[in-house]
Amino acid sequence: MRRSLAIFLAVTAIIVIFLVHSVYTLLTLLVEDGSADAIHSAEIPAPNSPLIDNMPQYIPKIIHQTYINDSVPEIWREPQRTCVDIHEDYEYKMWTDAKSRELIATEYPWFLNTFDNYSQPIQRADAIRYFVLAHFGGIYIDLDDV
């Protein structure tokens, strides 16, 4: 009986050690103090504050949206126009399938074969978001989110 208990405890200990080792990085996050990286409310200027004009612009004022072609469905035209009107100081870029492929072919030719061989058009729409943001900066807004 004692030998089987010892084997059971040894196997259990090995499993527990393996599991703890496997999730060690996640466990360290439980005790990590992230306050050094936090943005405190005192560092955020109030809306329309003159301090905003003096702060560096990290994200370019460009709005990117995607659709198959330039003929955006009626249901999304008004929200699209509203988005552009609200952000009048932003550059607006609509990425059609043709423009998306042209950007990939010109700037990221190593990805063109993958881009062209996606089986679903939505996969190309999803991929182009990352490329335009990496290339131009700005923000991406879905047409149905505005």
Side-chain angles (χ1 to χ4, degrees):
M1 181 72 172
R2 291 181 189 252
R3 180 181 170 145
S4 58
L5 179 61
I7 292 172
F8 172 76
L9 291 175
V11 169
T12 303
I14 290 170
I15 291 172
V16 168
I17 290 169
F18 172 75
L19 291 174
V20 168
H21 180 271
S22 298
V23 296
Y24 178 75
T25 303
L26 293 174
L27 292 174
T28 60
L29 293 175
L30 294 173
V31 294
E32 179 69 27
D33 180 19
S35 63
D37 298 323
I39 298 174
H40 301 284
S41 60
E43 298 176 274
I44 302 173
N48 301 319
S49 166
L51 295 175
I52 293 175
D53 296 332
N54 298 330
M55 296 181 73
Q57 182 71 38
Y58 295 113
I59 300 174
K61 291 185 172 186
I62 307 170
I63 296 173
H64 302 276
Q65 292 188 310
T66 60
Y67 194 66
I68 300 165
N69 53 42
D70 288 319
S71 300
V72 176
E74 184 62 39
I75 192 169
W76 292 329
R77 281 190 205 144
E78 183 58 32
Q80 178 192 28
R81 277 192 296 267
T82 302
C83 180
V84 172
D85 292 345
I86 289 172
H87 302 96
E88 60 189 31
D89 57 334
Y90 279 63
E91 180 181 352
Y92 180 80
K93 292 182 178 272
M94 171 58 78
W95 292 94
T96 63
D97 288 356
K99 289 178 186 174
S100 298
R101 189 182 187 287
E102 182 182 335
L103 175 74
I104 296 296
T106 306
E107 300 295 333
Y108 304 97
W110 56 267
F111 191 73
L112 185 59
N113 188 45
T114 302
F115 190 79
D116 285 342
N117 287 307
Y118 281 135
S119 60
Q120 302 295 320
I122 191 66
Q123 292 172 297
R124 284 183 282 281
D126 288 341
I128 196 64
R129 297 172 189 180
Y130 297 103
F131 286 99
V132 298
L133 290 176
H135 191 78
F136 297 100
I139 58 173
Y140 175 84
I141 303 174
D142 278 329
L143 280 171
D144 58 353
D145 283 347
V146 290

